[in-house]
């Protein structure tokens, strides 16, 4: 296992209930959220694993040109939340670092990946704290931390139940904003109103 290599888990298997349509295929500047994010991750990560619940051909067509680093894994228990996705993908991770991304944050700043890798040291993960809230997605984990996810998943479906078992380095807005000025990496687009605001910003 090469010590510096990094995998990415991209969570793309949610139900998008509040949006009413699959967020992965919403468009920004003529390009789907899915492709926008994968293009960013492709430059920084050695492999990208999409956690999905639909036929993988739908995603393959969209990601033509990026498939040499990209694979697809269906959740063991479809629509059972992000911890289920982590557990479903855990055994397929080939590298010591894992960036956990989500398909509903198209303004992700990929420079955070290198920044977090420099910071993680002996910690299990980097835990961003934005507006007083922990952000367990769009952040970096050690591969070994995923084993603890399996243990936790037997008794809880909550992502934060897993985070509570890890030795996390908390990073706050003042540090993160040095890389991501507006903290847009942590702006999840979950509703039609948020989608309209996003398009107006762009």
């Amino acid at each position: 296992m090469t010590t510096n290599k990094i995998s990415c888990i991209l969570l793309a298997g949610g139900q998008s209930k509040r949006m009413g349509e699959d967020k992965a295929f919403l468009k920004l500047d003529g390009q789907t959220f899915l492709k926008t994010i994968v293009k960013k991750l492709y430059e920084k990560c050695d492999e990208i694993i999409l956690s999905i619940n639909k036929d993988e051909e739908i995603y393959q067509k969209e990601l033509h040109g990026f498939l040499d680093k990209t694979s697809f894994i269906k959740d063991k228990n479809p629509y059972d939340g992000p911890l289920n996705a982590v557990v479903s993908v855990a055994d397929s991770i080939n590298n010591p670092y894992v960036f956990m991304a989500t398909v509903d944050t198209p303004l992700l700043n990929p420079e955070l990946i290198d920044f977090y890798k420099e910071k993680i040291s002996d910690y299990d993960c980097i835990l961003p704290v934005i507006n007083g809230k922990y952000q367990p997605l769009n952040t970096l984990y050690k591969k070994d931390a995923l084993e603890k996810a399996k243990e936790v998943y037997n008794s809880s479906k909550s992502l934060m139940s897993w985070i509570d078992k890890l030795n996390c380095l908390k990073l706050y807005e003042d540090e993160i904003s040095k890389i991501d000025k507006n903290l847009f990496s942590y702006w999840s687009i979950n509703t039609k109103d948020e989608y309209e605001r996003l398009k107006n910003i762009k």
Side-chain angles (χ1 to χ4, degrees):
M1 192 185 289
T2 308
T3 51
N4 261 338
K5 287 197 169 183
I6 183 166
S7 300
C8 177
I9 299 172
L10 178 55
L11 303 180
Q15 286 182 288
S16 302
K17 279 183 181 177
R18 283 184 284 169
M19 184 63 70
E21 59 184 298
D22 193 334
K23 290 182 283 188
F25 297 97
L26 294 175
K27 290 199 171 179
L28 183 63
D29 295 337
Q31 190 166 261
T32 60
F33 284 15
L34 175 64
K35 191 167 187 178
T36 297
I37 293 168
V38 168
K39 281 174 78 173
K40 294 177 181 183
L41 297 170
Y42 188 86
E43 297 302 317
K44 297 289 184 182
C45 300
D46 298 284
E47 68 172 352
I48 302 167
I49 301 175
L50 266 72
S51 160
I52 60 172
N53 282 310
K54 295 178 180 174
D55 191 320
E56 70 179 62
E57 286 183 11
I58 300 169
Y59 305 91
Q60 286 174 342
K61 286 177 187 173
E62 185 61 25
L63 298 177
H64 180 72
F66 300 95
L67 294 173
D68 58 314
K69 283 189 186 179
T70 305
S71 57
F72 306 86
I73 293 180
K74 287 197 173 179
D75 292 346
K76 292 177 180 178
N77 300 301
Y79 306 118
D80 205 23
L83 188 60
N84 163 62
V86 173
V87 169
S88 299
V89 168
D91 290 340
S92 300
I93 298 295
N94 293 309
N95 298 307
Y97 297 100
V98 183
F99 188 77
M100 191 93 63
T102 176
V103 82
D104 60 10
T105 51
L107 301 185
L108 170 69
N109 186 330
E111 298 305 319
L112 285 174
I113 296 174
D114 292 335
F115 180 64
Y116 290 161
K117 205 151 105 172
E118 288 172 10
K119 294 277 187 183
I120 196 166
S121 187
D122 294 328
Y123 290 92
D124 296 321
C125 77
I126 300 291
L127 186 59
V129 185
I130 309 292
N131 295 324
K133 291 184 179 179
Y134 294 147
Q135 303 291 333
L137 302 177
N138 286 345
T139 193
L140 189 68
Y141 295 81
K142 297 275 186 67
K143 182 181 188 291
D144 292 347
L146 274 57
E147 292 303 313
K148 292 183 183 174
K150 295 180 191 175
E151 297 167 19
V152 170
Y153 186 66
N154 289 326
S155 57
S156 172
K157 304 297 172 68
S158 161
L159 209 54
M160 288 312 300
S161 296
W162 169 42
I163 301 297
D164 287 343
K165 302 285 185 186
L166 303 178
N167 180 23
C168 299
L169 174 63
K170 294 173 185 171
L171 291 182
Y172 294 83
E173 291 105 320
D174 58 339
E175 282 202 78
I176 296 170
S177 62
K178 292 174 188 173
I179 307 297
D180 185 1
K181 182 180 176 185
N182 296 306
L183 303 171
F184 280 162
S185 295
Y186 299 97
W187 183 19
S188 298
I189 309 302
N190 290 311
T191 66
K192 297 284 189 188
D193 285 348
E194 288 169 344
Y195 184 35
E196 289 306 314
R197 277 175 53 211
L198 173 72
K199 289 189 284 187
N200 289 332
I201 283 175
K202 298 299 284 183

